[in-house]
């Protein structure tokens, strides 16, 4: 009996691409994905317009919020940096004021006038307090303010040595006074001037940034309106329905937000510009004039202390006096300080006339009496004006911020509302194809 061998079991193999293509009927399209089918035909194009218009509406809301937040932040930072600049300039003023008191009191010899001594002490104390406040208000200034504190310790030590020697009638006292003045001019004031320059730059940057928010609102608003316009136009041509109220209302909301918000930002930017050209510019000019005036007064005294060899100090006086005249001329609306400065200049001319004629004692008498009174009147008048202008800067910038509508936090809700209106309007047309 013969045995038959069974055939091995057949194995299955997938059809080749050629076999698959042969089995498919000609003209039968390949199955499309669900997303592609969702955008097919006129209903699909409606959905595409819906997605595009809704997305651009939300983007408009975000851009409007960003624009208002940017401008509001710039106004807030401009106010804070302007206040810091006023502090730094006040430090500068107090230092040169104290130095003017010290040099002028040195002319008296022996025990200086109590009032003048107290003014020196108060000026240095005020400078120290403002240094601490400025370091707390602006962390970027802390390192330079710390270095300034160190130089002021050296300066005060030299002033005290000059006073002690002057009370005893020792000539070396004048050398200590010159060393103290050199420390202030070469070590302390360069730090202060660098701080002033840095804060002026910060303020200018923020003033320039206030207007940037306008572009965020107008550019995004125009883009959103264009998309909504083409959406309405396409719907009108395809459906022969020439008015889609929900989408039209959404477009009106975008238009109103763009114009109300945009013009509010333009108004805020205009207010900031007026502040910059008005009270802020006057504050800078007054501060610079007062600083230069105190520096001039110090050099007047140092010229007399040098007793015939103070040509360099006299030239420094003239340079500082020129700065005072220039800065007072920049103040909007004029200043009472101009006339009072002229009165002090007349006293200084009398001092120089007597000193040049060889009557040093008479020159000192004028410098420590008439000149002190004339300068005091100038100091008080300009200090009051400076207080008014610096307060004006803060209040005007605060008013500009308060005048901005709350689109900073309403921007996104507005964008979402417009997107929902677009979805509502499109759903009405899509329902007609079901």
């Amino acid at each position: 009996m013969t045995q038959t061998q069974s055939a091995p079991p057949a194995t299955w193999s997938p059809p080749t691409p050629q076999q698959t293509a042969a089995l498919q009927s000609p003209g039968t399209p390949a199955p499309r994905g669900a997303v592609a089918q969702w955008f097919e035909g006129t209903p699909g194009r409606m959905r595409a317009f819906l997605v595009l218009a809704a997305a651009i509406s939300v983007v408009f809301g975000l851009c409007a919020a960003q624009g208002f937040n940017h401008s509001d932040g710039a106004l807030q930072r401009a106010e804070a940096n302007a206040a810091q600049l006023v502090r730094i300039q006040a430090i500068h003023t107090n230092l040169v004021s104290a130095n003017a008191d010290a040099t002028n009191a040195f002319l008296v010899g022996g025990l200086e006038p109590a009032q003048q001594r107290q003014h020196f002490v108060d000026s240095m104390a005020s400078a120290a307090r403002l240094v601490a406040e400025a370091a707390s208000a602006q962390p970027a200034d802390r390192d330079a303010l710390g270095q300034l504190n160190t130089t002021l310790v050296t300066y005060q030590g030299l002033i005290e040595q000059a006073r002690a020697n002057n009370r005893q009638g020792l000539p070396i006292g004048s050398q200590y006074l010159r060393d103290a003045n050199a420390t202030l001019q070469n070590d302390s004031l360069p730090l202060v001037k660098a701080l002033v320059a840095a804060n002026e730059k910060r303020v200018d940057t923020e003033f320039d940034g206030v207007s940037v928010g306008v572009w965020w609102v107008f550019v995004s608003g125009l883009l959103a309106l264009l998309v909504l316009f083409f959406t309405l136009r396409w719907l009108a041509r395809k459906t022969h329905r020439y008015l889609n109220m929900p989408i039209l209302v959404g477009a009106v909301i975008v238009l109103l937000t763009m114009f109300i918000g945009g013009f509010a930002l333009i108004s805020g930017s205009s207010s900031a510009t007026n502040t910059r050209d008005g009270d802020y510019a006057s504050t800078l000019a007054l501060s610079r004039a007062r600083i230069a005036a105190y520096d001039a007064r110090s050099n007047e005294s140092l010229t007399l202390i040098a007793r015939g060899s103070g040509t360099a100090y006299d030239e420094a006086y003239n340079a500082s006096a020129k700065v005072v005249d220039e800065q007072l001329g920049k103040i909007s609306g004029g200043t009472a300080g101009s006339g009072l400065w002229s009165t002090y200049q007349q006293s200084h001319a009398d001092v120089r006339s007597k000193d040049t004629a060889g009557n040093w004692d008479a020159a000192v008498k004028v410098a420590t009496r008439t000149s002190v009174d004339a300068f005091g009147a100038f100091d008080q008048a300009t200090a009051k004006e400076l207080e008014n202008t610096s307060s004006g800067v803060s209040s005007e910038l605060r008013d500009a911020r308060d005048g901005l509508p709350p689109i900073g936090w309403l921007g996104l809700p507005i964008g979402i509302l417009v997107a929902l209106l677009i979805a509502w309007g499109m759903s009405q047309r899509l329902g007609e194809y079901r």
Side-chain angles (χ1 to χ4, degrees):
M1 180 175 176
T2 60
Q3 294 180 344
T4 61
Q5 292 181 346
S6 60
T11 59
W12 180 88
S13 60
T16 64
Q18 292 79 6
Q19 293 172 331
T20 302
L23 291 173
Q24 288 182 341
S25 300
T28 303
R32 298 174 64 85
V35 174
Q37 292 178 0
W38 200 68
F39 288 108
E40 282 184 344
T42 300
R45 293 187 182 90
M46 286 185 182
R47 295 186 186 100
F49 272 102
L50 165 61
V51 171
L52 175 62
I56 201 67
S57 299
V58 174
V59 169
F60 165 70
L62 290 172
C63 288
Q66 170 63 20
F68 271 81
N69 288 332
H70 183 93
S71 293
D72 181 76
L75 286 168
Q76 187 175 11
R77 290 188 297 272
E79 180 185 351
N81 289 327
Q84 177 73 349
L85 177 58
V86 170
R87 287 188 200 96
I88 301 298
Q89 288 180 318
I91 292 170
H92 196 165
T93 304
N94 276 288
L95 293 180
V96 292
S97 170
N99 195 53
D101 285 328
T103 53
N104 190 264
F106 195 89
L107 286 171
V108 178
L111 189 63
E112 67 267 35
Q115 184 178 0
Q116 207 164 33
R117 171 61 182 171
Q118 188 60 48
H119 192 268
F120 171 87
V121 172
D122 292 343
S123 295
M124 293 303 296
S126 180
R129 175 180 55 80
L130 288 168
V131 166
E133 289 180 8
S136 176
Q138 177 54 270
D141 293 340
R142 286 177 184 169
D143 290 343
L145 289 168
Q147 296 175 38
L148 176 62
N149 255 336
T150 302
T151 66
L152 294 183
V153 171
T154 302
Y155 169 77
Q156 285 185 279
L158 290 169
I159 286 292
E160 292 307 315
Q161 287 180 307
R163 289 180 63 239
N165 283 280
N166 190 44
R167 282 198 302 268
Q168 300 175 43
L170 299 176
I172 196 174
S174 61
Q175 183 58 50
Y176 278 119
L177 185 66
R178 284 191 289 270
D179 290 345
N181 184 71
T183 298
L184 186 71
Q185 297 294 334
N186 299 330
D187 299 335
S188 303
L189 295 188
L191 291 169
V192 177
K193 291 174 182 177
L195 288 167
V196 168
N199 282 281
E200 283 185 3
K201 185 176 180 180
R202 292 186 192 116
V203 175
D204 288 340
T205 298
E206 300 306 337
F207 271 127
D208 292 337
V210 173
S211 61
V212 173
V214 177
W215 296 104
W216 281 94
V217 175
F218 273 124
V219 172
S220 62
L222 286 173
L223 181 61
L225 287 174
L226 282 173
V227 171
L228 291 175
F229 170 77
F230 282 113
T231 300
L232 288 169
R233 184 171 176 270
W234 184 86
L235 278 176
R237 292 175 60 186
K238 286 293 183 181
T239 65
H240 302 291
R241 304 288 184 85
Y242 295 101
L243 194 62
N244 188 301
M245 285 304 297
I247 299 179
L248 184 61
V249 169
V252 171
I253 291 174
V254 171
L255 185 66
L256 289 175
T257 302
M258 185 179 75
F259 277 98
I260 293 174
F263 284 112
L265 288 174
I266 289 173
S267 177
S269 177
S270 177
S271 296
T273 300
N274 292 335
T275 301
R276 185 182 196 173
D277 296 337
D279 280 347
Y280 176 70
S282 295
T283 298
L284 291 183
L286 277 168
S287 294
R288 291 166 181 165
R290 284 170 53 79
I291 289 166
Y294 273 116
D295 196 43
R297 184 165 173 246
S298 296
N299 284 303
E300 177 186 76
S301 300
L302 288 168
T303 303
L304 291 174
I305 293 170
R307 284 183 175 265
S309 57
T311 303
Y313 295 119
D314 190 41
E315 291 174 352
Y317 173 94
N318 292 328
S320 296
K322 183 179 179 181
V323 172
V324 177
D325 291 331
E326 290 174 351
Q327 295 301 322
L328 292 178
K330 294 180 180 180
I331 297 172
S332 177
T335 170
S338 296
L340 296 170
W341 174 250
S342 296
T343 301
Y344 169 71
Q345 285 275 66
Q346 292 170 9
S347 297
H348 172 75
D350 191 22
V351 170
R352 296 307 315 132
S353 175
K354 287 180 169 54
D355 187 34
T356 303
N359 195 348
W360 187 84
D361 290 330
V364 169
K365 186 176 180 180
V366 174
T368 55
R369 296 182 185 178
T370 308
S371 185
V372 169
D373 294 338
F375 190 90
F378 165 82
D379 179 35
Q380 291 178 7
T382 53
K384 184 64 176 177
E385 290 180 7
L386 179 59
E387 182 181 354
N388 292 336
T389 58
S390 59
S391 298
V393 172
S394 296
S395 63
E396 288 167 14
L397 291 177
R398 197 176 304 116
D399 290 344
R401 287 183 60 211
D402 293 341
L404 296 179
I407 295 179
W409 58 273
L410 282 178
L412 181 58
I414 288 173
I416 293 173
L417 174 61
V418 174
L420 291 175
L421 287 170
I422 293 168
W424 181 19
M426 282 295 188
S427 68
Q428 293 177 352
R429 298 294 174 260
L430 284 168
E432 297 171 0
Y433 283 84
R434 291 174 184 157

